[in-house]
Amino acid sequence: MAKDAKDSGDRQQDVALSHTEEKDVRDNQSLNSVSLYAIVHREGLEELQRPMMSLWWSGVAAGIGISISILAEGILHHLFSGSPNQFVIENLGYTVGFVLVIVGRLQLFTENTLSVILPLLSKPSLNMGFCIARLWSIVFAANMFGTFLAALFSYTLQAVPPELVEGMTAISEHYAKLSPSDAFSYGITSGFIIAAIVWMKPSVKHSQILMIVIFTYLIAVGNFTHVIAGSTELFLLALQDKISIIETVSLIGATLLGNIVGGTGLFALLAYGQVVREIEK
């Protein structure tokens, strides 16, 4: 009886809330899993409907933009050369390009390993699969073109001072030392983290930049591999004849597969699995 009275009192208190108070509750209430799914799902559908040229130029801009991460790392590497905390400090630069690309809503391939997959999981069809393959192909090619241009401008066209290019090269060499199997394995973790960022964005509207910095910094200090940012490093090394074209392609391919496994094979399936029963209801 006491419990029933308490529940009744709670309901009466809820009904008594004014319109302003109800709005305050909604504005400050955390999004649940179904709401997050619905938002990311809708964003995925919108991306799939964008014109090809819009995807292409946004993807090129994202490739150039993400290369700012390597430039920022190179600058910090140069400035803090010889410091015992050099590794910790220089990897902060890695977050800069991701903030630019994600907040700027540019087309980054690894973001699309989650958002455009959710519509396919909810309503599988050959047409949906074709649309995803189309988007992935365009965005990935555009990202690669953008990162190659960034490497070309930085080294060949000398748009970046030589001492900073040396810093960029120094922080890139660790990637070239990886085997394709290592690049694949580390790419799984990186792909999972990027997908997690996409999933969390709607919940952290007012602190998106901090969230992006924290998680992309984790990718950097953990030496995990990200296919788009990493391609800038590999193209920069290839232009200096420090690695071969075959090595460049094999490392990019292995990292690409790892990012897809982490973003689509793990995170997307887990994100969908936790809400599928509630969506069916």
Side-chain angles (χ1 to χ4, degrees), residues 184-247:
F184 170 77
S185 299
Y186 302 158
I188 294 174
T189 303
S190 181
F192 189 92
I193 291 172
I194 296 297
I197 290 174
V198 175
W199 183 261
M200 290 185 293
K201 276 196 303 178
S203 294
V204 290
K205 287 184 178 180
H206 304 298
S207 54
Q208 273 193 21
I209 292 177
L210 179 60
M211 183 265 291
I212 294 167
V213 168
I214 290 172
F215 284 95
T216 54
Y217 182 68
L218 178 61
I219 294 174
V221 295
N223 282 326
F224 300 117
T225 53
H226 183 271
V227 66
I228 311 303
S231 67
T232 304
E233 298 177 298
L234 294 173
F235 288 145
L236 187 63
L237 295 173
L239 289 171
Q240 299 177 66
D241 294 323
K242 292 182 179 292
I243 59 172
S244 68
I245 298 299
I246 294 175
E247 290 174 310

Side-chain angles (χ1 to χ4, degrees), residues 123-188:
K123 291 185 178 180
S125 70
L126 287 176
N127 182 61
M128 184 65 72
F130 173 79
C131 290
I132 291 172
R134 166 186 168 274
L135 182 143
W136 275 8
S137 299
I138 294 169
V139 172
F140 181 72
N143 287 169
M144 290 294 103
F145 184 66
T147 56
F148 178 76
L149 284 179
L152 188 70
F153 289 147
S154 299
Y155 176 70
T156 307
L157 301 182
Q158 298 181 344
V160 175
E163 63 273 16
L164 300 184
V165 173
E166 289 180 9
M168 294 168 68
T169 302
I171 61 98
S172 300
E173 289 176 342
H174 77 96
Y175 199 168
K177 295 176 182 177
L178 297 176
S179 67
S181 62
D182 287 337
F184 170 77
S185 299
Y186 302 158
I188 294 174

Side-chain angles (χ1 to χ4, degrees), residues 9-271:
D10 289 342
R11 285 193 295 272
Q12 289 175 1
Q13 185 179 23
D14 288 342
V15 172
L17 291 175
S18 68
H19 176 73
T20 302
E21 290 168 335
E22 286 284 2
K23 185 177 183 300
D24 287 339
V25 170
R26 290 195 302 270
D27 290 344
N28 291 282
Q29 185 177 19
S30 298
L31 294 172
N32 60 29
S33 297
V34 176
S35 299
L36 285 173
Y37 168 84
I39 293 170
V40 179
H41 181 277
R42 181 174 298 175
E43 289 179 351
L45 288 175
E46 290 173 354
E47 296 298 339
L48 289 169
Q49 294 168 2
R50 293 188 67 185
M52 183 179 71
M53 293 309 295
S54 297
L55 293 172
W56 170 262
W57 290 116
S58 182
V60 173
I64 296 173
I66 205 72
S67 300
I68 299 297
S69 288
I70 312 307
L71 173 60
E73 282 188 290
I75 292 171
L76 293 175
H77 180 89
H78 173 71
L79 292 177
F80 291 92
S81 179
S83 168
N85 299 314
Q86 182 181 7
F87 178 79
V88 174
I89 296 171
E90 70 185 14
N91 278 294
L92 282 170
Y94 190 79
T95 67
V96 176
F98 284 92
V99 171
L100 187 159
V101 170
I102 296 174
V103 176
R105 298 300 299 271
L106 301 177
Q107 286 289 337
L108 187 65
F109 175 82
T110 46
E111 284 193 272
N112 287 322
T113 57
L114 172 66
S115 57
V116 300
I117 290 297
L118 295 184
L120 178 66
L121 293 175
S122 59
K123 291 185 178 180
S125 70
L126 287 176
N127 182 61
M128 184 65 72
F130 173 79
C131 290
I132 291 172
R134 166 186 168 274
L135 182 143
W136 275 8
S137 299
I138 294 169
V139 172
F140 181 72
N143 287 169
M144 290 294 103
F145 184 66
T147 56
F148 178 76
L149 284 179
L152 188 70
F153 289 147
S154 299
Y155 176 70
T156 307
L157 301 182
Q158 298 181 344
V160 175
E163 63 273 16
L164 300 184
V165 173
E166 289 180 9
M168 294 168 68
T169 302
I171 61 98
S172 300
E173 289 176 342
H174 77 96
Y175 199 168
K177 295 176 182 177
L178 297 176
S179 67
S181 62
D182 287 337
F184 170 77
S185 299
Y186 302 158
I188 294 174
T189 303
S190 181
F192 189 92
I193 291 172
I194 296 297
I197 290 174
V198 175
W199 183 261
M200 290 185 293
K201 276 196 303 178
S203 294
V204 290
K205 287 184 178 180
H206 304 298
S207 54
Q208 273 193 21
I209 292 177
L210 179 60
M211 183 265 291
I212 294 167
V213 168
I214 290 172
F215 284 95
T216 54
Y217 182 68
L218 178 61
I219 294 174
V221 295
N223 282 326
F224 300 117
T225 53
H226 183 271
V227 66
I228 311 303
S231 67
T232 304
E233 298 177 298
L234 294 173
F235 288 145
L236 187 63
L237 295 173
L239 289 171
Q240 299 177 66
D241 294 323
K242 292 182 179 292
I243 59 172
S244 68
I245 298 299
I246 294 175
E247 290 174 310
T248 301
V249 172
S250 64
L251 285 171
I252 288 176
T255 306
L256 171 64
L257 292 175
N259 288 170
I260 292 173
V261 170
T264 298
L266 290 179
F267 197 94
L269 291 176
L270 292 172

